[in-house]
Amino acid sequence: MISEKTIEDTVYQLYKKAAIDLNEDVVKSLEDALENEEDELAKLNINNILKNIELAHKNQIPMCQDTGLGVIFVKLGNVEVENLKEGIEKGVRKATKEVPLRPNIVDPITRENSGDNTGAYIPYISIELTDTDYLEITVLPKGFGSENNNKLKMALPAEGKEGIKDFVVESVLAAGGKPCPPMVVGVGIGGTSDLAMKLAKEALIEKIGQPNPDDELNQMENEILERINKNGKGPMGLGGKTTALDVKIKKASTHTAGLPIGVCIQCWANRHATSILKDE
């Protein structure tokens, strides 16, 4: 049995890690972008981002004042788990108090703040059943400077690959500097409208710079990334070669009459942390 207390402690530690320490693949992609830049303002912006990352780690404080809305991806294998939902919620509350995290969660109508980053359906918990002997938990704190620029299109099947690529590029460029680029772009293709957006957000967990195992999707990712960066919006939308660090695509089967396309934009602070738990 994996206890509720273990889940609480794990989610707390994951949220703390995600909020304070950026994963090495993201840091390296920013360092590579700095080397590639020629524009002095673009270099200044990336240098400031890297300094921000360094100070957050040194002082053990969150790297951004927007510590996000808690998105929790769970892969549930053949294990016994005690009070999964309650353990996750307690972990988020503990992180809010002890990291600390900014209380971001409000009622959408009254705007009353819960004070502990939990509320109706929040943290958002996505559960995938797997044929494994463990429980995997990923915490992805999603800031809303980037979330507010997400897009969904229920495209016609005839629009095909070119239509998908065009929509993603248009969505990213329309966001400009609002998501604090250089950004990471998650794309979900297929399924239903809600599944396409979920896949787009889940794609943000994939390692930056790692090729997609699906050759066709890998080619699409590279083409979209090249088109985005050719536009020259650059870091913070103030010019430069690096508007996006990477594009990640996930797909699902869909209805013969549809082609849902979800675009989930993430700022340079592509924060997430994962842990695997086995029966105690």
Side-chain angles (χ1 to χ4, degrees):
M1 173 80 71
I2 299 173
S3 70
E4 178 183 318
K5 185 65 168 63
T6 296
I7 294 166
E8 175 187 347
D9 291 343
T10 298
V11 169
Y12 162 68
Q13 291 294 341
L14 290 174
Y15 219 133
K16 180 179 180 181
K17 181 179 184 300
I20 294 172
D21 289 313
L22 206 56
N23 290 338
E24 281 302 314
D25 61 313
V26 186
V27 176
K28 185 179 184 305
S29 69
L30 287 164
E31 292 171 343
D32 290 344
L34 179 61
E35 288 187 12
N36 186 50
E37 285 290 356
E38 297 174 355
D39 183 271
E40 290 302 316
L41 183 55
K43 289 181 180 180
L44 176 65
N45 280 321
I46 298 176
N47 265 317
N48 286 338
I49 290 170
L50 291 169
K51 185 65 175 179
N52 185 95
I53 294 166
E54 178 186 341
L55 289 172
H57 173 74
K58 179 181 177 181
N59 297 315
Q60 287 296 286
I61 56 174
M63 67 187 78
C64 179
Q65 82 279 1
D66 182 357
T67 52
L69 176 151
V71 178
I72 318 293
F73 291 107
V74 176
K75 292 184 179 180
L76 179 59
N78 301 311
V79 291
E80 290 189 63
V81 183
E82 178 187 30
N83 300 333
L84 178 62
K85 181 175 181 289
E86 291 82 356
I88 289 172
E89 290 175 346
K90 286 181 178 179
V92 171
R93 293 188 188 108
K94 183 178 180 181
T96 301
K97 182 178 180 180
E98 296 185 16
V99 173
L101 308 175
R102 189 178 73 183
N104 287 325
I105 304 308
V106 301
D107 181 283
I109 307 301
T110 68
R111 312 308 292 182
E112 181 180 356
N113 196 308
S114 69
D116 62 7
N117 280 314
T118 67
Y121 298 98
I122 301 298
Y124 169 60
I125 303 171
S126 170
I127 298 179
E128 177 185 349
L129 302 179
T130 62
D131 188 18
T132 60
D133 63 348
Y134 58 82
L135 170 71
E136 180 179 298
I137 301 177
T138 297
V139 172
L140 188 153
K142 192 65 171 67
F144 264 56
S146 56
E147 185 76 3
N148 284 337
N149 292 280
N150 292 350
K151 299 291 182 182
L152 171 69
K153 181 177 183 179
M154 301 304 289
L156 298 174
E159 294 181 59
K161 285 200 302 183
E162 293 306 312
I164 294 169
K165 289 185 285 186
D166 288 346
F167 176 66
V168 176
V169 173
E170 290 163 7
S171 299
V172 172
L173 297 182
K178 290 180 285 185
C180 295
M183 62 191 86
V184 180
V185 183
V187 181
I189 304 170
T192 53
S193 57
D194 54 327
L195 179 53
M197 290 305 299
K198 176 186 167 184
L199 290 173
K201 186 167 274 98
E202 192 172 353
L204 298 174
I205 298 169
E206 299 297 322
K207 191 172 182 179
I208 303 302
Q210 182 171 286
N212 195 311
D214 183 309
D215 290 340
E216 187 172 39
L217 295 184
N218 186 63
Q219 182 179 357
M220 290 177 67
E221 289 173 350
N222 292 334
E223 290 176 4
I224 292 169
L225 181 62
E226 183 179 1
R227 286 177 59 183
I228 290 170
N229 286 335
K230 271 187 175 179
N231 188 272
K233 288 190 178 292
M236 297 298 163
L238 298 174
K241 292 183 176 182
T242 317
T243 304
L245 297 171
D246 211 346
V247 175
K248 296 295 185 182
I249 300 177
K250 294 178 76 73
K251 70 175 182 178
S253 300
T254 192
H255 191 282
T256 185
L259 179 59
I261 311 166
V263 178
C264 186
I265 294 176
Q266 180 67 298
C267 65
W268 63 260
N270 187 25
R271 303 165 289 183
H272 54 87
T274 300
S275 185
I276 290 176
L277 302 175
K278 296 193 174 185
D279 284 330
E280 299 167 349

